[in-house]
Amino acid sequence: MAKKLINHPDKVIDDMLAGILRMHGDVLRRCEEDPRAVVRTTLDPGKVGVVIGGGSGHEPAFIGYVGEGLADGVAVGNIFASPSPYPILTAAKEVDQGNGVLLIYGNYSGDNMNFSMAAELAEMDGHQVKELVVHDDVASAPKGEEHKRRGIAGEVFVYKVAGAKARTGASLDEVYATTEKANDWTRSIGIALEPCSLPQTGKPIFSIGPDEMEIGMGVHGEPGIHRMKLMSAEEVANRLVDAICEDFDYDGSDVAVLVNGLGATSLLELYILYDNMADALAKRNIRIHRSFVGEYITSQEMSGCSLTMMKLDEELKAMIDAPGKTFCFNF
Amino acid sequence: MAKKLINHPDKVIDDMLAGILRMHGDVLRRCEEDPRAVVRTTLDPGKVGVVIGGGSGHEPAFIGYVGEGLADGVAVGNIFASPSPYPILTAAKEVDQGNGVLLIYGNYSGDNMNFSMAAELAEMDGHQVKELVVHDDVASAPKGEEHKRRGIAGEVFVYKVAGAKARTGASLDEVYATTEKANDWTRSIGIALEPCSLPQTGKPIFSIGPDEMEIGMGVHGEPGIHRMKLMSAEEVANRLVDAICEDFDYDGSDVAVLVNGLGATSLLELYILYDNMADALAKRNIRIHRSFVGEYITSQEMSGCSLTMMKLDEELKAMIDAPGKTFCFNF
C-alpha cells in the first residue's frame, strides 16, 4: 500500500486545484462554468488559443503547462481518467479570441472521445477548432502504425511548439501545421522500475520483480515490450536511444531531448542518464540543440524515466528556444 | 532493495556531475584544483562570494542553488557525506574577489568540521571568511538549544537571502548580518512516510510501519519526535504549522513558506498540503508574502515532505523577492 498525503480519495483533484489556484491565482483562474477548466488570467490578444488536458496524477502535467508562450487553458480530469467534454469545451470557449482554438491531447481512448466531442460542441457553437493527438511512445505500437501510439512525455515538446507558434500571430492552420510537424518528429520511450498506485486504493497498479525493470511501460502502467533484469544507467541509455533511433531517423540531426523522471527517480539518476544518453547520441552524430532534465510528466510515485527526442529544423529550433513561462517552468 | 539507475555505486557523484556540467557548462564550471568544487562561470564583479555545500543525495540541493543572485560556488560531497575541506577551500578561493566569502552549510558534525577547517585554511591564505550554520529543524533539539538543530529545507531561504544581499554590493559583515537574521527567523519540520536508501547498498536506511508516519525525521533518516498512524493532509498541515509556531512567534507576521517534497511525494500531494497549511496560517493571522511548493531539498526516493517558514521584515521581503536564477530554479 502506497501512503498518500491527501484528505479523501474523492477530493484529491479539487484539493490540489484549490492549492494551485490559491498560490498562482495571479496567472491562473478557474472557469465559472466548469471548475475543472482552468485558463490564464491574461490572454495574448488575438492569438490562436491552445487548450490541453488529460487525466490527473501526472503533475506538473497538465496544468503546469498553462502559461505565457505555452497553453492558454487546461481541462483537468480525475486521476488517470480523461476530463469530460464540458471542461474542455469551457476552456476552449474561454480562450477563443476569434481566431480559433487548437486542442492537444495524448492518444488514449477516453481523451480521444471527450476532446472530439468537445470539439464538435464548440464548432456547433461557432468556434473554429482543430485537434492534435500526440502519439510519441514508440513502445506502444509498431512503426507504420504511429497513429495507434500513446502520448507520453513528448507532449511537453508539442505544447511548447504550439504555444510558441501561436504567439507569433500565426493562423490556426499554421499553428496546426507546425505543431503536427513537431508531433511527427517526436519519439519517446520509457522504463519503469517500481509501480505507482491510485490514491483511491493505495494499491500498486502493476508489479515488477525486485531485480527487474520494464522497457516501454506507459505512464499509467500499460504493459511495455521487454521485462528484464535491472541494467546500468549506461545500458538503459543505449537501449532507449537505440529504440528511438531505430524508429525514426535522427542520425546527423539537431534535436531537443527530454530526460523525464516519472516520480521517485531522483535528479541524480536523471543527470547520470543524461550524460550516458548524450554519449550515445554523439556516436550517432546527433547534435543536442537543447535539453531538459527533470520531472515533466510523472506517474505518481512510479520509479523510472523516459527519453524523448524531437528532430529540429530552423523553425522548430526557434519554437523550442522561444521564452515560455508557467507556474512550474521557465523555458 | 531500492532500484537505482546508476552505473556503479562509487561513481554516482562523478557521473551526476558529468551530466550536470555537460548540460549547464554555460553557467557552471568545475574547478581545476578540485573536481568536487563547482563555481559559476561568471561572477558579479566585486561581490562578496557565497559558497554552499554538503553531502549529495539531496538534489537539486546543493548544486542547484549556484547561480545568479544565489550561491557562487558549491562543494559536492558523496551521498549523505560532507565534502572534505579541499573542495570547500577551492570554491572559496575561486569566488573571492577581494571582498570576502560567506560559507553556508547545515548543522551536521561532518559539515561543521570540514567547513571550519576550510575557513581556517582560507584565512591562512589571506581570504576573509565568515561561516553561517543553518539550524532550522525544530524537531532536532528543544527551544533554547537552537544551535544544536539540524539544517534542512530552510537552507533554501538562507541561500536566497545571502545571494540577494551579496548582490546589493553589501560588505561581508552586512551579508552575514542579514543572512543570520534570515537563519534566526526560519523554522522547518518534516515528516517521512517511507524511507530512502543509499545507492551503495540499495537498502532502506530506516523502516516505518505500513500505516505509520514519523514527524520530525531528518533528511538522512535521523529519528523524529513522534511516530504515529498516517494522518490526513489537513491533520499533517495543522501539526506542522503548530510545531513551528509553538517554537517561534510568527503570529501576525508576513512570512515566506516552502512546502518541500522529499522525493517520492507528488506535486499533487504538496499542493493539497499547501492549501491546508495556508488555512492554518490564516487562522493565526499569518500573511503569506511568498510561497514555494516543489522538490527543493530531497532525500533520494524518500516519501514525505517538510514545511519551512521564514518571518519577513521589509529587508527580507526585498531579498526573497529579488530575482535569482540557477539551472534548476527561477526565483
Side-chain angles (χ1 to χ4, degrees):
Chain A
M1 291 287 288
K3 300 169 191 169
K4 296 279 175 193
L5 289 166
I6 60 173
N7 289 309
H8 189 283
D10 295 341
K11 283 181 63 200
V12 290
I13 308 306
D14 291 324
D15 285 359
M16 170 189 76
L17 285 177
I20 290 174
L21 291 160
R22 184 172 200 155
M23 184 159 154
H24 306 293
D26 52 334
V27 289
L28 296 178
R29 69 174 173 83
R30 255 171 145 150
C31 298
E32 274 181 34
E33 277 186 59
D34 194 307
R36 295 296 180 88
V38 176
V39 298
R40 294 174 62 200
T41 48
T42 317
L43 299 174
D44 303 304
K47 191 181 75 68
V48 164
V50 176
V51 170
I52 62 176
S56 292
H58 304 295
E59 290 66 31
F62 298 97
I63 194 170
Y65 297 99
V66 177
E68 224 175 299
L70 279 121
D72 300 297
V74 62
V76 181
N78 284 322
I79 301 281
F80 292 179
S82 174
S84 84
Y86 305 103
I88 305 167
L89 175 65
T90 301
K93 286 161 78 174
E94 293 261 0
V95 306
D96 187 0
Q97 300 182 82
N99 291 310
V101 180
L102 178 62
L103 307 182
I104 306 176
Y105 52 95
N107 187 25
Y108 297 95
S109 54
D111 290 315
N112 292 338
M113 189 179 71
N114 291 308
F115 276 86
S116 292
M117 195 176 295
E120 259 181 60
L121 292 169
E123 278 167 357
M124 284 165 56
D125 217 32
H127 298 273
Q128 193 194 353
V129 178
K130 271 181 134 24
E131 297 173 64
L132 195 142
V133 186
V134 186
H135 47 66
D136 55 313
D137 182 359
V138 300
S140 52
K143 199 168 158 67
E145 299 183 31
E146 285 79 4
H147 63 287
K148 292 188 182 169
R149 290 177 174 171
R150 298 185 291 257
I152 56 171
E155 293 182 28
V156 174
F157 286 162
V158 177
Y159 301 156
K160 181 71 186 69
V161 168
K165 184 70 183 180
R167 227 183 177 189
T168 64
S171 70
L172 179 57
D173 284 341
E174 289 164 342
V175 174
Y176 180 85
T178 300
T179 309
E180 184 61 7
K181 176 169 67 178
N183 191 24
D184 286 344
W185 290 4
T186 297
R187 297 290 184 279
S188 302
I189 187 164
I191 60 158
L193 279 66
E194 297 286 357
C196 59
S197 62
L198 296 176
Q200 293 90 322
T201 64
K203 289 186 187 142
I205 58 175
F206 60 94
S207 69
I208 302 187
D211 58 349
E212 286 182 335
M213 53 181 265
E214 185 156 330
I215 292 193
M217 182 156 274
V219 291
H220 313 94
E222 297 94 336
I225 45 179
H226 296 295
R227 185 164 290 205
M228 52 186 63
K229 294 282 175 210
L230 183 61
M231 299 190 297
S232 71
E234 191 181 350
E235 289 168 321
V236 168
N238 286 329
R239 278 272 185 161
L240 300 188
V241 168
D242 286 350
I244 285 177
C245 292
E246 280 161 18
D247 194 80
F248 186 90
D249 185 12
Y250 288 100
D251 290 13
S253 303
D254 293 315
V255 296
V257 300
L258 164 60
V259 180
N260 175 54
L262 289 175
T265 292
S266 64
L267 211 48
L268 178 148
E269 293 159 272
L270 298 179
Y271 272 107
I272 293 175
L273 281 162
Y274 174 75
D275 193 46
N276 294 145
M277 286 170 181
D279 284 337
L281 297 185
K283 281 183 201 143
R284 290 175 175 271
N285 193 27
I286 298 171
R287 292 175 301 278
I288 300 178
H289 174 75
R290 203 172 175 111
S291 27
F292 303 85
V293 174
E295 294 186 347
Y296 286 82
I297 291 197
T298 65
S299 298
Q300 311 263 1
E301 78 284 10
M302 198 190 290
S303 171
C305 69
S306 62
L307 171 64
T308 297
M309 290 170 57
M310 176 168 72
K311 179 176 160 175
L312 301 175
D313 59 8
E314 292 310 309
E315 183 188 32
L316 292 183
K317 273 186 203 173
M319 298 301 112
I320 209 82
D321 289 343
K325 186 173 172 9
T326 76
F327 74 87
C328 289
F329 297 106
N330 260 274
F331 285 101
Chain B
M1 291 287 288
K3 299 170 192 168
K4 296 278 174 193
L5 289 166
I6 61 173
N7 290 309
H8 189 284
D10 295 340
K11 282 181 63 200
V12 289
I13 307 306
D14 291 325
D15 285 359
M16 169 189 76
L17 285 177
I20 290 174
L21 290 159
R22 185 172 201 154
M23 184 160 154
H24 306 292
D26 53 332
V27 291
L28 296 177
R29 70 174 173 84
R30 255 170 145 151
C31 298
E32 275 181 33
E33 277 187 59
D34 194 306
R36 294 295 180 89
V38 176
V39 298
R40 294 174 61 200
T41 48
T42 317
L43 299 173
D44 304 303
K47 190 181 75 70
V48 165
V50 176
V51 170
I52 62 175
S56 293
H58 304 295
E59 290 66 31
F62 298 96
I63 195 169
Y65 297 99
V66 178
E68 223 176 301
L70 279 120
D72 300 296
V74 62
V76 180
N78 284 321
I79 301 282
F80 293 179
S82 174
S84 84
Y86 305 103
I88 305 167
L89 175 65
T90 300
K93 286 161 79 174
E94 293 260 1
V95 307
D96 188 0
Q97 300 182 83
N99 290 309
V101 180
L102 179 61
L103 307 182
I104 306 177
Y105 52 96
N107 187 26
Y108 297 94
S109 53
D111 290 315
N112 292 337
M113 189 178 72
N114 291 309
F115 275 86
S116 292
M117 196 176 294
E120 259 181 60
L121 293 169
E123 278 167 357
M124 284 166 56
D125 218 33
H127 298 273
Q128 192 194 353
V129 178
K130 272 182 134 22
E131 296 173 64
L132 196 143
V133 185
V134 185
H135 48 66
D136 55 313
D137 182 359
V138 300
S140 52
K143 200 169 157 66
E145 298 183 32
E146 285 80 5
H147 63 288
K148 293 188 181 169
R149 290 176 175 171
R150 297 185 291 256
I152 54 171
E155 293 183 27
V156 175
F157 285 163
V158 176
Y159 302 155
K160 181 71 186 71
V161 169
K165 184 70 183 180
R167 227 183 176 190
T168 64
S171 70
L172 179 56
D173 284 342
E174 290 164 342
V175 174
Y176 180 85
T178 299
T179 311
E180 184 60 7
K181 176 170 69 179
N183 191 24
D184 286 344
W185 290 4
T186 298
R187 297 289 184 279
S188 301
I189 187 164
I191 59 159
L193 279 66
E194 297 287 358
C196 60
S197 62
L198 295 176
Q200 292 91 323
T201 64
K203 289 186 187 142
I205 58 174
F206 61 93
S207 68
I208 302 186
D211 58 349
E212 286 182 334
M213 54 180 264
E214 184 156 330
I215 292 193
M217 183 155 275
V219 288
H220 313 92
E222 297 94 335
I225 45 179
H226 298 294
R227 186 163 289 205
M228 54 185 63
K229 294 281 174 213
L230 184 61
M231 299 189 299
S232 71
E234 190 181 352
E235 289 168 321
V236 168
N238 286 329
R239 278 271 185 162
L240 300 188
V241 168
D242 286 350
I244 285 177
C245 292
E246 280 162 17
D247 193 80
F248 186 90
D249 185 12
Y250 288 100
D251 290 13
S253 302
D254 293 315
V255 296
V257 301
L258 164 60
V259 180
N260 175 55
L262 289 175
T265 293
S266 63
L267 211 49
L268 178 148
E269 293 160 90
L270 298 180
Y271 272 107
I272 293 176
L273 280 162
Y274 174 75
D275 193 46
N276 294 144
M277 284 170 182
D279 283 338
L281 297 184
K283 280 184 201 141
R284 291 175 175 271
N285 193 26
I286 298 171
R287 291 175 301 278
I288 300 177
H289 173 74
R290 203 170 174 111
S291 28
F292 303 86
V293 174
E295 294 187 347
Y296 286 82
I297 291 196
T298 65
S299 298
Q300 310 263 1
E301 78 284 10
M302 199 190 289
S303 171
C305 69
S306 62
L307 172 63
T308 297
M309 290 171 57
M310 176 168 71
K311 179 176 159 174
L312 301 175
D313 59 9
E314 292 309 310
E315 183 188 31
L316 292 183
K317 273 185 203 173
M319 299 300 111
I320 210 80
D321 289 343
K325 185 172 172 9
T326 76
F327 74 87
C328 288
F329 297 106
N330 261 274
F331 284 102

